[in-house]
Amino acid sequence: MSEIKKIGILTSGGDCAGLNAVISSVVKAADRQGWQVYGIHDGTDGLTERPLSYEILTPKSFSDTPWPRISGSYLGSLNKGVKMDSQAEMSRRFGEGVKELGLDAVVVVGGDGSMNIVSNYCKNAGVKMIGIPKTIDNDTPLTQFSVGFNTACQVCTDALDSMETTARSHHRALILEVMGRDAGHLAIQSALAGFADVCLVPEIPYSIDGIITKLEDIKKSGRSHAVIVVSEGVKTETGEQVSGAKNLVGEKINGGIGEYLSHALNAKYQGFQTRVTRLGHVQRSGNPTAFDRILASVFAAKAVELLANGHTGVMVGFSNGKFESYPLEQVVACGTSLLDAHSDYVRAAHDLGIYVGELS
Ligand code: F6P
């Protein structure tokens, strides 16, 4: 059995729907173990900055509030990356912060980047950690689903439903640019759910001519509108990154491929007027779907159960219909989970007539 009395919880990386359901569920499950929970503010900043920034959470903090039902992070989050050369110093400050608060373990709610960075801090500082995957990109390795993805997919699907009606009224091809970073999970699953005609993802090369052939086929079939989904991580037809923007640690910031596509299509084909919707951060919001709330609840309960049983250094996940846990070292070694171009999602989209690029 564990000797845990006090744990910390933090949310790290881009926010998404379902984070508050995770936080409140961890607090409830930990309270039933008789543990105290410290909510760390603004990702790891609450432990690495001085003064430390945190608050004590109890089930009462959430029981009479709408927090578990809404998106955003009650604790605040951090999405700025960390320079490799400052990792040792950050680990030291993180470890000191944990020690000062007397935390026996930390629950980290994050995506692939956060699992990597914070598990390094924890390893270097000798802190027990359990990870809970969340991200609208769904690119955290080993788990099939991360908290927040399903809600983001619903937001994109709702947008496609709205776009279809106006595309129909104006006989246009409307382009929806969705997030997802370098992974096409959000794009392909939204395209399937929203019955799109074209879906471009970073993992599959495409050609402007291929898209035009699809649009021409739509015209020939007697339909005079179309909807196109493009993932923000898609590059130009010749492989260039569209946006030159970078974050504080020099990582690229995506955005703009929708506009590129619109111009590139118009330059060669005037069969449809095109317009672009860049959905942006609304994809990280919206009331969490039932699926995300269930994922949040079970992940949270499992994280506390693992700690109570003396486990550390693992991430909870969902795979092949089962809730599991995976060593963080294995999660980190897998890097980012990209869309498999031969997956059933891609194959289904192709078989249903969606242009998904030039499949090999
Ligand atoms: O990882 C989640 C995500 O929303 C990505 O899809 C997107 O590329 C990125 O974060 C945007 O980050 P920020 O809000 O920091 O610009």
Side-chain angles (χ1 to χ4, degrees):
M1 287 306 281
S2 76
E3 285 151 18
I4 294 202
K5 292 195 176 57
K6 205 192 269 187
I7 63 169
I9 178 165
L10 62 87
T11 55
S12 175
D15 71 343
C16 63
L19 292 178
N20 298 316
V22 174
I23 298 167
S24 58
S25 301
V26 165
V27 171
K28 272 191 222 164
D31 184 70
R32 286 173 63 87
Q33 297 282 348
W35 304 344
Q36 248 195 332
V37 182
Y38 279 40
I40 309 301
H41 293 157
D42 301 326
T44 49
D45 267 7
L47 288 171
T48 55
E49 297 290 311
R50 301 293 178 266
L52 297 172
S53 183
Y54 63 93
E55 65 189 276
I56 294 173
L57 300 172
T58 69
K60 203 156 176 6
S61 313
F62 301 105
S63 62
D64 201 15
T65 74
W67 274 106
R69 299 171 195 278
I70 61 177
S71 50
S73 171
Y74 174 86
L75 293 171
S77 195
L78 185 68
N79 198 18
K80 64 179 185 197
V82 178
K83 284 191 185 135
M84 283 315 288
D85 57 4
S86 57
Q87 292 232 356
E89 169 64 4
M90 296 297 272
S91 301
R92 189 186 63 73
R93 292 160 73 111
F94 183 90
E96 277 177 11
V98 167
K99 204 165 168 203
E100 198 174 318
L101 297 184
L103 304 178
D104 300 308
V106 179
V107 175
V108 176
V109 192
D112 59 330
S114 302
M115 291 302 156
N116 185 357
I117 294 169
V118 190
S119 69
N120 256 326
Y121 292 175
C122 288
K123 198 162 74 183
N124 295 342
V127 173
K128 288 182 181 160
M129 164 178 164
I130 301 279
I132 297 183
K134 66 84 227 172
T135 167
I136 69 163
D137 305 337
N138 213 33
D139 58 356
T140 316
L142 303 179
T143 184
Q144 272 166 0
F145 293 104
S146 292
V147 173
F149 172 69
N150 186 261
T151 308
C153 202
Q154 188 61 54
V155 171
C156 296
T157 304
D158 290 344
L160 286 167
D161 285 353
S162 302
M163 288 168 70
E164 200 273 344
T165 58
T166 181
R168 181 185 291 271
S169 305
H170 291 275
H171 311 303
R172 285 176 172 164
L174 295 186
I175 300 170
L176 180 69
E177 180 181 316
V178 303
M179 284 184 164
R181 227 180 267 271
D182 296 324
H185 305 288
L186 186 56
I188 196 77
Q189 296 201 34
S190 304
L192 283 167
F195 308 118
D197 299 296
V198 173
C199 176
L200 304 184
V201 293
E203 295 87 345
I204 304 175
Y206 67 96
S207 70
I208 297 294
D209 287 344
I211 304 172
I212 292 172
T213 303
K214 174 69 196 174
L215 295 177
E216 283 171 343
D217 287 349
I218 291 171
K219 279 244 150 160
K220 276 187 218 143
S221 76
R223 175 152 61 96
S224 55
H225 69 281
V227 281
I228 296 174
V229 176
V230 59
S231 181
E232 64 175 1
V234 169
K235 298 201 168 68
T236 67
E237 193 184 20
T238 47
E240 283 97 40
Q241 173 77 23
V242 178
S243 156
K246 299 249 160 77
N247 72 7
L248 292 174
V249 292
E251 296 160 344
K252 68 181 161 71
I253 297 177
N254 287 316
I257 187 68
E259 286 296 338
Y260 159 82
L261 210 56
S262 174
H263 291 303
L265 285 172
N266 286 159
K268 283 185 148 179
Y269 177 67
Q270 286 77 45
F272 286 108
Q273 273 196 352
T274 56
R275 294 286 189 276
V276 182
T277 300
R278 191 163 150 193
L279 211 44
H281 290 81
V282 296
Q283 293 160 96
R284 303 218 306 231
S285 192
N287 286 352
T289 57
F291 183 82
D292 272 336
R293 295 177 195 205
I294 294 164
L295 216 53
S297 306
V298 182
F299 279 174
K302 192 156 181 78
V304 169
E305 181 197 313
L306 284 163
L307 278 175
N309 289 333
H311 297 278
T312 177
V314 294
M315 182 189 83
V316 296
F318 179 81
S319 191
N320 299 321
K322 280 177 141 184
F323 289 90
E324 306 276 6
S325 61
Y326 313 93
L328 277 164
E329 279 179 7
Q330 198 184 337
V331 174
V332 171
C334 289
T336 299
S337 160
L338 299 179
L339 176 68
D340 176 2
H342 303 288
S343 68
D344 287 332
Y345 295 111
V346 175
R347 183 118 317 268
H350 173 264
D351 290 352
L352 294 171
I354 301 176
Y355 174 77
V356 287
E358 306 297 321
L359 289 175
S360 51

